Amino acid sequence: QVQLVESGGGLVQAGGSLRLSCVASGRTFSEYAMGWFRQFPGQERECVAAIKWSGSSTYYTDSVKGRFAISRDNAKNAVYLQMNSLKPEDTAVYYCAVDRLRRRTTIDITPGAYNYWGQGTRVTVSS
């Protein structure tokens, strides 16, 4: 059974940092893109960052460029999101996800492209 377990969320003041971790178990995902999504109340999940299966390409939504960094460690079957200079508008539930397509050539940021999801970790940034 595949499980994605996120950790690292919490409460932080504006300008602070958090590092989210997501460790997968049940199968190896070294040949699958992985992504971090967030969801605001009443809205659809949006892709915050994603990383190609090879690690050679990344995607960031405009609002986090220069502040967030995604990385992966295939040996640990894990993906990380380093979040710096956090803002109150970053407050959301963050989910990690694994692409449904093996060795996808380009990053797909649509939620439907991902078929395994973590349970979510809440990030709250106070002003």
Side-chain angles (χ1 to χ4, degrees):
Q1 182 180 357
V2 173
Q3 277 193 315
L4 302 180
V5 179
E6 300 118 334
S7 61
L11 173 63
V12 64
Q13 288 189 332
S17 298
L18 286 173
R19 185 177 189 240
L20 304 184
S21 299
C22 172
V23 179
S25 61
R27 61 180 290 185
T28 299
F29 291 114
S30 59
E31 294 184 296
Y32 294 81
M34 301 182 79
W36 285 97
F37 291 72
R38 65 186 177 188
Q39 188 165 23
F40 302 113
Q43 297 187 27
E44 297 293 320
R45 291 182 188 182
E46 68 163 0
C47 185
V48 177
I51 186 165
K52 193 174 176 180
W53 65 272
S54 61
S56 61
S57 179
T58 56
Y59 162 86
Y60 297 96
T61 193
D62 285 345
S63 62
V64 309
K65 285 180 181 176
R67 300 189 298 122
F68 290 12
I70 188 171
S71 60
R72 65 188 298 158
D73 184 338
N74 287 337
K76 296 182 178 179
N77 223 19
V79 63
Y80 308 97
L81 186 67
Q82 178 66 43
M83 306 187 296
N84 299 325
S85 302
L86 282 161
K87 303 176 181 180
E89 51 263 43
D90 294 317
T91 295
V93 178
Y94 286 72
Y95 301 87
C96 69
V98 179
D99 196 335
R100 66 175 66 246
L101 185 63
R102 177 177 169 269
R103 292 198 174 197
R104 192 186 295 271
T105 54
T106 58
I107 293 173
D108 192 324
I109 64 171
T110 58
Y114 297 76
N115 61 341
Y116 292 115
W117 294 84
Q119 81 286 355
T121 185
R122 183 172 299 276
V123 171
T124 303
V125 185
S126 64
S127 56

